[in-house]
């Protein structure tokens, strides 16, 4: 019994095209050949009235089916698919869906009357697929529910999901019986290669055009009615198995025959207006009917003009007796325009048409331009996507020069002579155009479907062929047996990104790289954070456009069981299935690396390209991310504005945590220098002292990377802030005191010697003393006062009275670090005196934990012998080591481990021993953050 006696053993391939759709089936022969044929299905072609007044449709059979759907108002908007539907477009464009494939992935179909029952591209596409399924089922005498449906290789997740939804609505199975993903979708260029290799196997394609006995790198150029698909593959034969390996594919390019028609139609419209330019009333009528009447008619005229140009070029090229100059050919266009009463009569020369369409040829671009892809701004053409593929291949393979052995063109627009000529000029050799571009994709999909269904058998055959023990197959038999095509993995055409809060590069973070094999599971991505007070995060999935911007293609939400008061870390793992459907797992943790899990959730990614989010917030990106300074500071300003307005302490506490998370995010930005302009402007404009204090804090944390002129402006703002207390000799009142202190702190990175000296006026004001100590320590300025302050604090600490030893000891240690720029601010004798005082403070046994650690770190910094520059005598060094070794005799802290880490680091510094990474980080944190 033939396999085709059972309907679901039909190896069906469907090319769901922008302009036309095609169905084909594969039939295995006894000699091993796979014969793939197109199924000619009957479809409505014209309407007529019977003698009794009934309206009926005539039908005809053709290999291709117009991908047009007409919703006939007179019959309750019943859908009609095919050529008759296309004919109605110029008359009833609001009732005809044409080129719906170009809208796949959009949530709502555009251009149709609201009375049309189908609202989404999936629903409309389901009409086309349903029409094909019904026709094939009738042909095969049973209900066919399995098929491989082709999509552009550059279709993203949303577009593939929309196609799967259409298939499901049409009655095709999109999942296996166990609920797992069924490989329903096949990239169109891959289908072209399956058809090509199958024809070579069958002897239907001449080896002289493409010899696959040696490995070939083949680029497939598939230009259809609405999309341009370009992929690069390695094709090689081994042990009678033909393997097709995907290398790279272009990002989504909505360019096709429709765009060529549109440019010609625009030129026709301009000529139409000029013809009646002396009659304003006519011009007004034309303008009012431009979108709904005039342009649909002109698009049809344009398509016919394009076809006529191509046929004329083909005839001219093969006419041996025609001596006329083809460039002088004139094409007449025109006729009625939708019944508005003003006819269109025009003509175009070949030269004028080529000039109009040259915008898509990108004649200024050359093969090696892929090496400088980021500099190219002209992207809406047939060449840029080729360069995109070559660049991805170069990056993936790690080579500078990418060689292409052959170019196979496919798609209806690939037959257009301007395209073929441009490709030959670009690559330097003739592209292979011998495949039937209208039928190859469906035929290849059918071949793929055959190998897909016979996958287990195929694997066994491949194992058999790969063994040397098979004595039943002679060398002669092997040569005469058609080669098997191995089912290879598809790839993701372009990188996908997670939308995050305020990232400068369109708020995105890459989650799925370009050219990875599918199915794909990412490594765990860590370091993200959820905003305080949230238990739900918004997951927008974005794709990059050719112009460098990003669009949302899908989204989801992950809800955790608990609402976090503090900013928790979030980790992700992303999966992309064989049909490019994305799922995402996320979990919260108390650590940056996602080890200590707290809560877990899964995102259901759905089609949605709107920027408006559902409930929840985008995640905060990891440390070191490139942020948008304006957006970050604006967010912070709004938080402070709401904080100051609110009187509810519980609410203020939650907002305070959000502020801290926002500030932490800014502090860890990978582009600290970019914040200078925004922060300086806000310091100039804000009237909120609380917000100003935070701005000074951020300026101090980020300002090391700022330019000299930006630091000068910052120091001026600092001096303006403390001008009043310096003049009066008394502290400011209320919230301004905090801003004053932050301005003093900030002078440590931008103040000149005169400005730092002027702080002397604030030394005796208790509210500013700590800030002054810190800034003088960081800059090595006013050292006499700083030493006096240290000695006074040591005396107070020994007497157990209030003191600032925690800060003055750190300041002295920072100022006298052996790697500090101003380490020679005092003499060696004075350094010894300071060291002895610090030792006596520790030996007193009266120091609190914070002060004790400060003195220990200070001793390590002053006596540091790792650089060999210490001038402190041996006896003093030994004294320091003795104090640090016997620390437990002087420590009031019950848990010695908290102080011993500092003591051990200090001892290694004094002995001249190297610190490990963790110890260096600990020391740096203690020195940098003690304020």
């Amino acid at each position: 019994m033939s396999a085709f006696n059972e309907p679901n053993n039909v190896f069906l391939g469907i090319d769901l095209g922008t302009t036309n759709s095609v169905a084909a089936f594969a039939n295995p022969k006894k000699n091993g050949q796979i014969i793939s044929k197109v199924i000619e299905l009957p479809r409505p072609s014209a309407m007529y009235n019977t003698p009794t007044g009934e309206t009926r449709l005539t039908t005809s059979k053709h290999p291709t089916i117009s991908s047009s759907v007409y919703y006939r108002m007179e019959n309750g908007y019943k859908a009609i698919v095919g050529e008759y539907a296309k004919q109605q477009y110029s008359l009833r464009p609001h009732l005809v869906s044409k080129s719906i494939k170009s809208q796949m992935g959009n949530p709502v179909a555009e251009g149709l009357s609201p009375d049309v029952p189908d609202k989404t591209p999936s629903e409309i596409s389901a009409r086309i697929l349903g029409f094909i399924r019904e026709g094939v089922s009738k042909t095969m005498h049973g209900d066919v529910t399995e098929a491989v449906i082709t999509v552009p290789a550059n279709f993203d997740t949303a577009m593939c999901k929309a196609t799967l939804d259409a298939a499901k609505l049409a009655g095709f199975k999109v999942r296996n019986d166990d609920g797992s993903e069924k490989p329903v979708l096949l990239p169109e260029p891959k289908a072209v290669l399956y058809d090509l290799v199958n024809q070579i196997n069958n002897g239907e394609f001449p080896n002289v055009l493409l010899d696959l006995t040696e490995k070939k790198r083949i680029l497939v150029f598939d230009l259809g009615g609405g999309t341009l698909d370009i992929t690069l593959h390695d094709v090689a034969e081994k042990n009678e198995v033909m393997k097709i390996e995907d290398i790279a594919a272009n990002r989504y390019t909505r360019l096709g025959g429709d765009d060529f028609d549109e440019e010609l139609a625009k030129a026709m419209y301009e000529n139409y207006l000029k013809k009646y330019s002396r009659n304003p009333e006519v011009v007004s009528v034309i303008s009012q009917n431009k979108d709904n009447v005039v342009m649909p008619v002109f698009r049809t005229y344009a398509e016919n003009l394009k076809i006529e140009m191509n046929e004329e070029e083909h005839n001219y090229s093969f006419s041996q007796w025609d001596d006329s100059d083809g460039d002088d050919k004139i094409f007449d266009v025109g006729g009625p325009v939708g019944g508005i009463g003003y006819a269109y009569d025009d003509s175009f020369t070949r030269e004028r048409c080529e000039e109009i369409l040259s915008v898509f040829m990108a004649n200024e671009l050359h093969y090696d331009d892929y090496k400088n892809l980021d500099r190219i701004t002209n992207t809406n053409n047939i060449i840029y996507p080729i360069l995109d593929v070559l660049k991805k291949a170069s990056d993936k393979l790690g080579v500078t020069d990418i060689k292409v052995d052959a170019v196979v063109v496919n798609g209806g627009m690939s037959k257009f002579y301007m395209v073929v000529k441009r490709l030959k000029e670009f690559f330097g050799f003739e592209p292979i155009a011998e495949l039937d571009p209208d039928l190859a994709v469906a035929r290849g999909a059918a071949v793929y479907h055959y190998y897909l269904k016979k996958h287990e058998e195929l694997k066994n055959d491949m194992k058999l062929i790969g063994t040397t023990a098979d004595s039943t197959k002679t060398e002669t038999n092997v040569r005469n047996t058609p080669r098997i095509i191995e089912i290879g993995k598809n790839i993701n055409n372009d990188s996908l990104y997670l939308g995050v809060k305020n990232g400068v590069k369109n708020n995105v973070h890459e989650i799925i790289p370009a050219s990875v094999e599918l199915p794909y599971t990412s490594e765990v991505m860590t370091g993200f954070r959820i905003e305080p007070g949230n238990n739900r995060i918004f997951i927008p999935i974005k794709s990059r456009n050719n112009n460098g911007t990003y669009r949302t293609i899908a989204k989801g939400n992950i809800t955790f069981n608990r609402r976090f008061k503090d900013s928790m870390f979030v980790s992700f793992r992303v999966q992309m299935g064989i049909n490019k459907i994305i799922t995402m797992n996320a979990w919260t943790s108390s650590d940056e690396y996602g080890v200590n899990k707290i809560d877990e959730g899964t995102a259901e990614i759905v089609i949605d390209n709107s920027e408006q989010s559902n409930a929840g917030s985008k995640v905060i990106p990891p440390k070191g991310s490139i942020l948008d300074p304006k957006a970050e500071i604006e967010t912070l300003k709004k938080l402070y504005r709401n904080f100051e307005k609110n009187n509810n302490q519980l609410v203020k506490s939650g907002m305070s945590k959000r502020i801290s998370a926002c500030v932490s995010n800014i502090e860890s930005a990978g582009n600290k220098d970019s914040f200078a302009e925004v922060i300086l402007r806000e310091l100039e404009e804000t009237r909120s002292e609380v917000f100003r204090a935070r701005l000074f804090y951020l300026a101090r944390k980020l300002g090391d990377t700022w330019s000299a002129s930006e630091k000068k402006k910052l120091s001026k703002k600092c001096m303006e802030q403390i001008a009043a207390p310096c003049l009066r000799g008394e502290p400011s009142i209320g919230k301004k005191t905090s801003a004053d202190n932050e301005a003093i702190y900030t002078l440590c990175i931008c103040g000149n010697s005169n400005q730092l000296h002027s702080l002397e006026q604030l030394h005796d004001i208790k509210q500013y003393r700590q800030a002054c100590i810190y800034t003088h320590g960081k800059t090595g300025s006013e050292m006499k006062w700083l030493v006096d302050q240290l000695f006074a604090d040591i005396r107070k600490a020994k007497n157990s009275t209030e003191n600032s030893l925690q800060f003055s000891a750190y300041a002295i240690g920072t100022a006298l670090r052996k790697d500090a720029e101003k380490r020679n601010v005092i003499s060696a004798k004075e350094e010894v005196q300071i060291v002895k005082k610090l030792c006596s403070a520790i030996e007193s046994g009266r120091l609190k934990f914070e002060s004790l650690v400060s003195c220990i770190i200070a001793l390590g910094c002053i006596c540091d012998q790792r650089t060999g520059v210490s001038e402190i005598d041996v006896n003093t060094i030994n004294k320091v080591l003795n104090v640090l070794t016997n620390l437990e005799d002087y420590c009031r802290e019950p848990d010695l481990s908290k102080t011993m880490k500092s003591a051990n680091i200090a001892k290694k510094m004094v002995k001249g021993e190297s610190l490990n990474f963790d110890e260096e980080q600990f020391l740096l944190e203690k020195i940098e953050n003690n304020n």
Side-chain angles (χ1 to χ4, degrees):
M1 180 183 292
S2 169
F4 295 102
N5 289 342
E6 295 294 331
N8 281 321
N9 280 333
V10 174
F11 308 122
L12 179 62
I14 299 176
D15 174 11
L16 183 61
T18 304
T19 306
N20 295 302
S21 294
V22 183
F25 71 92
N27 191 15
K29 296 178 69 176
K30 290 183 178 180
N31 64 357
Q33 290 183 346
I34 309 300
I35 305 302
S36 183
K37 290 187 176 182
V38 169
I39 308 170
E40 295 193 7
L41 300 175
R43 79 291 312 275
S45 57
M47 185 173 287
Y48 67 96
N49 293 321
T50 66
T52 60
E54 286 184 276
T55 301
R56 292 187 179 178
L57 291 168
T58 60
T59 60
S60 59
K61 287 186 177 182
H62 299 285
T64 62
I65 304 162
S66 176
S67 300
S68 301
V69 183
Y70 168 44
Y71 296 89
R72 188 165 176 249
M73 184 173 59
E74 296 84 355
N75 196 18
Y77 296 100
K78 183 178 179 180
I80 299 174
V81 176
E83 281 63 36
Y84 179 72
K86 181 180 179 181
Q87 295 165 17
Q88 303 306 304
Y89 177 71
S90 60
L91 301 174
R92 302 173 180 86
H94 61 294
L95 297 176
V96 178
S97 171
K98 181 174 175 284
S99 303
I100 191 61
K101 184 176 179 178
S102 298
Q103 296 189 47
M104 295 302 272
N106 293 350
V108 179
E110 299 176 356
L112 290 175
S113 166
D115 297 324
V116 168
D118 295 331
K119 307 299 183 184
T120 69
S122 294
E123 291 171 339
I124 296 169
S125 297
R127 297 290 185 179
I128 302 169
L129 289 174
F131 175 82
I132 293 173
R133 188 177 81 84
E134 183 180 352
V136 172
S137 295
K138 287 180 179 178
T139 302
M140 301 298 172
H141 306 292
D143 190 17
V144 177
T145 59
E146 293 191 6
V148 166
I149 301 168
T150 62
V151 292
N154 56 41
F155 256 25
D156 60 32
T157 292
M159 297 163 183
C160 289
K161 180 65 165 58
T163 308
L164 279 179
D165 289 345
K168 185 177 180 179
L169 288 172
F172 287 110
K173 292 180 179 179
V174 298
R175 287 197 172 272
N176 296 310
D177 293 339
D178 62 1
S180 60
E181 260 195 300
K182 193 178 186 68
V184 175
L185 305 183
L186 176 69
E188 289 166 4
K190 199 81 169 282
V192 171
L193 283 181
Y194 274 105
D195 182 53
L196 174 64
V197 174
N198 191 60
Q199 287 198 47
I200 292 174
N201 277 350
N202 295 344
E204 301 168 341
F205 192 90
N207 286 338
V208 69
L209 293 178
L210 185 62
D211 183 3
L212 293 181
T213 57
E214 294 183 358
K215 182 178 179 180
K216 292 290 190 300
R217 182 157 293 163
I218 301 175
L219 183 138
V220 180
F221 180 94
D222 189 347
L223 182 61
T227 57
L228 172 56
D229 230 6
I230 298 166
T231 56
L232 190 63
H233 312 263
D234 278 345
V235 181
E237 177 189 351
K238 184 178 181 180
N239 296 329
E240 297 298 315
V241 176
M242 188 63 67
K243 183 174 183 179
I244 301 171
E245 181 180 354
D246 297 352
I247 299 175
N250 65 308
R251 64 173 53 98
Y252 180 62
T253 304
R254 187 173 173 173
L255 175 68
D258 291 347
D259 298 276
F260 285 67
D261 298 344
E262 190 71 16
E263 287 301 312
L264 292 172
K266 287 177 183 177
M268 292 178 186
Y269 181 75
E270 291 175 4
N271 292 351
Y272 192 36
L273 288 179
K274 288 178 183 178
K275 178 178 179 180
Y276 296 101
S277 60
R278 295 184 180 180
N279 192 331
E281 292 182 3
V282 176
V283 170
S284 177
V285 171
I286 292 172
S287 300
Q288 290 173 8
N289 289 277
K290 176 186 177 183
D291 295 330
N292 61 342
V293 177
V294 179
M295 287 302 288
V297 173
F298 283 176
R299 290 181 189 115
T300 300
Y301 290 161
E303 183 181 12
N304 293 334
L305 171 59
K306 184 182 65 180
I307 293 171
E308 188 179 356
M309 284 175 61
N310 203 49
E311 290 177 348
E312 180 64 28
E313 172 68 17
H314 180 79
N315 292 335
Y316 172 74
S317 299
F318 288 95
S319 295
Q320 301 297 324
W321 55 85
D322 189 349
D323 295 329
S324 63
D325 186 351
D327 290 340
D328 291 335
K329 173 65 180 178
I330 296 176
F331 301 94
D332 295 324
V333 295
V337 184
I340 65 173
Y342 304 102
Y344 172 62
D345 184 23
D346 203 352
S347 64
F348 287 82
T349 64
R350 182 194 309 277
E351 184 179 15
R352 173 60 180 147
C353 291
E354 291 181 352
E355 179 185 352
I356 293 169
L357 298 179
S358 65
V359 65
F360 301 119
M361 298 298 111
N363 293 306
E364 77 281 5
L365 296 179
H366 305 285
Y367 189 93
D368 282 344
D369 285 336
Y370 74 85
K371 299 175 182 178
N372 300 297
L373 190 68
D374 292 339
R375 300 179 188 176
I376 299 174
T377 57
N378 179 19
T379 60
N380 190 37
N381 55 69
I382 66 171
I383 299 301
Y384 178 82
I386 299 176
L387 299 176
D388 177 48
V389 168
L390 295 177
K391 177 64 167 64
K392 287 174 180 172
S394 173
D395 293 342
K396 180 178 180 177
L397 301 176
V399 296
T400 304
D401 296 314
I402 290 293
K403 181 187 175 185
V404 175
D405 298 312
V407 175
V408 176
V409 297
N410 196 70
M413 270 304 296
S414 68
K415 295 184 292 188
F416 191 56
Y417 74 93
M418 287 183 67
V419 173
V420 176
K421 284 184 177 180
R422 180 67 178 104
L423 292 178
K424 180 180 179 181
E425 177 189 65
F426 181 81
F427 286 102
F429 54 80
E430 195 84 39
I432 297 172
E434 276 62 36
L435 294 175
D436 189 326
D438 294 328
L439 310 180
V441 171
R443 289 194 313 232
V447 172
Y448 173 82
H449 196 183
Y450 166 77
Y451 282 114
L452 197 62
K453 278 202 164 188
K454 300 297 180 180
H455 185 56
E456 291 302 319
E457 180 183 338
L458 172 64
K459 285 197 298 184
N460 292 333
D461 285 347
M462 287 165 55
K463 290 177 183 177
L464 186 65
I465 293 169
T467 61
T468 57
D470 182 14
S471 58
T472 62
K473 187 173 289 188
T474 65
E475 185 178 351
T476 303
N477 288 335
V478 171
R479 282 201 306 268
N480 293 334
T481 302
R483 288 168 287 200
I484 296 170
I485 306 174
E486 181 179 330
I487 297 287
K489 290 186 176 181
N490 296 328
I491 62 171
N492 180 41
N493 64 298
D494 205 15
S495 298
L496 290 180
Y497 303 83
L498 170 67
V500 295
K501 287 182 69 66
N502 300 340
V504 74
K505 293 182 178 178
N506 290 274
N507 303 356
V508 296
H509 183 93
E510 186 180 72
I511 54 173
I512 302 179
S515 305
V516 295
E517 289 187 344
L518 303 180
Y520 169 78
T521 300
S522 74
E523 298 291 330
V524 174
M525 291 168 279
T526 60
F528 297 90
R529 284 175 291 149
I530 185 173
E531 283 191 316
N534 276 320
N535 71 324
R536 194 178 194 193
I537 53 177
F538 171 51
I539 307 294
I541 306 297
K542 292 177 176 276
S543 179
R544 183 176 179 270
N545 299 314
N546 281 340
N547 62 3
T549 61
Y550 294 78
R551 69 188 187 281
T552 299
I553 61 169
K555 61 175 60 171
N557 286 284
I558 294 180
T559 303
F560 300 110
N561 293 323
R562 67 181 76 181
R563 191 177 296 274
F564 299 101
K565 294 181 180 180
D566 297 315
S567 177
M568 285 291 138
F569 287 103
V570 178
S571 300
F572 293 102
R573 189 189 293 275
V574 181
Q575 297 88 28
M576 176 177 273
I578 52 179
N579 294 316
K580 293 189 178 180
I581 306 304
I582 297 175
T583 57
M584 178 181 286
N585 298 99
W587 59 91
T588 56
S589 63
S590 57
D591 65 296
E592 182 178 353
Y593 306 104
V595 176
N596 301 314
K597 287 186 179 181
I598 299 174
D599 205 350
E600 194 165 2
T602 301
E604 180 182 351
I605 307 300
V606 297
I607 296 175
D608 193 343
N609 64 0
S610 65
E611 290 296 330
Q612 184 177 1
S613 70
N614 301 323
S617 173
K618 293 179 183 177
V619 292
I620 300 170
K623 293 179 180 178
S625 297
I626 304 299
L627 304 180
D628 182 346
K630 185 177 180 181
E632 289 287 349
I633 298 300
E634 188 64 29
T635 298
L636 187 61
K637 181 164 64 173
K638 289 179 180 178
L639 286 171
Y640 268 110
R641 187 183 300 135
N642 294 333
F643 179 84
E644 292 186 273
K645 288 179 180 178
N646 203 300
N647 295 320
N648 185 310
Q649 291 303 312
L650 185 61
V651 174
K652 288 175 77 79
S653 175
M655 293 177 68
S656 178
K657 292 180 183 295
R658 290 188 64 192
I659 288 172
S660 296
C662 184
V663 169
S664 176
N665 193 40
I666 295 172
E667 281 187 71
S668 64
N671 56 324
K672 295 179 173 59
D673 56 331
S674 302
F675 281 80
E677 181 182 352
V678 182
I679 290 178
L680 290 170
R681 184 176 65 249
E682 288 294 338
L683 282 171
E684 184 72 34
E685 296 175 357
T686 187
R687 296 293 175 263
S688 168
E689 292 296 338
V690 178
F691 182 47
R692 189 192 302 275
R694 188 61 76 175
L695 289 171
F696 276 126
Y697 171 84
L698 286 172
R700 173 162 56 93
K701 293 297 183 180
L702 309 178
D704 281 341
T705 63
W706 295 7
S707 67
S709 62
E710 289 166 341
K711 288 182 179 180
K712 186 175 181 180
K713 291 176 183 177
L714 178 60
S715 67
K716 181 181 178 183
K717 301 308 300 179
C718 292
M719 296 309 296
E720 290 174 358
Q721 179 68 34
I722 61 176
C726 282
L727 183 64
R728 297 193 309 266
E730 58 184 37
S732 299
I733 299 173
K735 298 175 181 177
K736 192 175 185 301
T737 305
S738 177
D740 291 349
N741 270 308
E742 289 297 344
I744 297 169
Y745 282 127
T746 304
L747 282 171
C748 75
I749 67 162
C750 61
N752 60 38
S753 57
N754 290 332
Q755 291 168 334
L756 294 170
H757 181 68
S758 68
L759 295 180
E760 183 181 17
Q761 302 168 72
L762 307 178
H763 287 175
D764 295 331
I765 303 176
K766 180 180 178 181
Q767 288 87 337
Y768 299 138
R769 187 174 298 133
Q770 180 179 326
C772 289
I773 288 172
Y774 176 87
T775 297
H776 289 315
K778 291 287 285 185
T779 57
S781 58
E782 301 297 309
M783 283 301 296
K784 184 179 184 309
W785 176 79
L786 200 56
V787 172
D788 290 343
Q789 186 66 38
L790 172 68
F791 289 173
D793 284 333
I794 289 175
R795 286 194 300 271
K796 293 176 183 178
K798 288 180 177 180
N799 295 324
S800 300
T801 57
E802 185 179 356
N803 62 81
S804 302
L805 182 57
Q806 174 187 351
F807 307 105
S808 58
Y810 266 125
I812 286 291
T814 301
L816 300 181
R817 285 180 66 188
K818 297 311 173 186
D819 57 349
E821 293 182 5
K822 298 184 179 181
R823 60 178 177 267
N824 295 322
V825 290
I826 60 175
S827 66
K829 183 178 179 180
E830 289 173 308
E831 281 191 349
V832 169
Q833 186 181 9
I834 291 169
V835 169
K836 289 179 177 179
K837 287 284 188 181
L838 288 169
C839 288
S840 69
I842 295 173
E843 289 174 319
S844 71
R846 296 293 187 89
L847 302 189
K848 295 180 180 179
F849 170 70
E850 293 82 3
S851 297
L852 177 61
V853 171
S854 296
C855 290
I856 291 171
I857 295 296
L859 285 173
C861 290
I862 299 170
C863 302
D864 191 355
Q865 299 199 81
R866 291 176 300 163
T867 58
V869 296
S870 177
E871 297 180 10
I872 298 176
D873 61 274
V874 175
N875 290 334
T876 304
I877 291 294
N878 289 334
K879 171 67 175 176
V880 170
L881 291 173
N882 183 62
V883 169
L884 295 175
T885 301
N886 299 297
L887 193 62
E888 58 185 5
D889 296 338
Y890 320 118
C891 182
R892 297 170 58 184
E893 186 68 35
D895 186 1
L896 265 179
S897 63
K898 294 183 178 181
T899 50
M900 288 310 297
K901 183 172 184 177
S902 299
N904 290 335
I905 291 174
K907 280 198 291 185
K908 290 179 75 172
M909 295 168 70
V910 175
K911 291 179 179 180
E913 298 174 1
S914 299
L915 303 183
N916 61 38
F917 176 79
D918 290 338
E919 291 169 337
E920 288 283 6
Q921 291 298 112
F922 178 84
L923 179 64
L924 183 63
E925 182 180 350
K926 287 294 183 184
I927 293 172
E928 294 297 325
N929 297 331
N930 188 59
N931 64 285

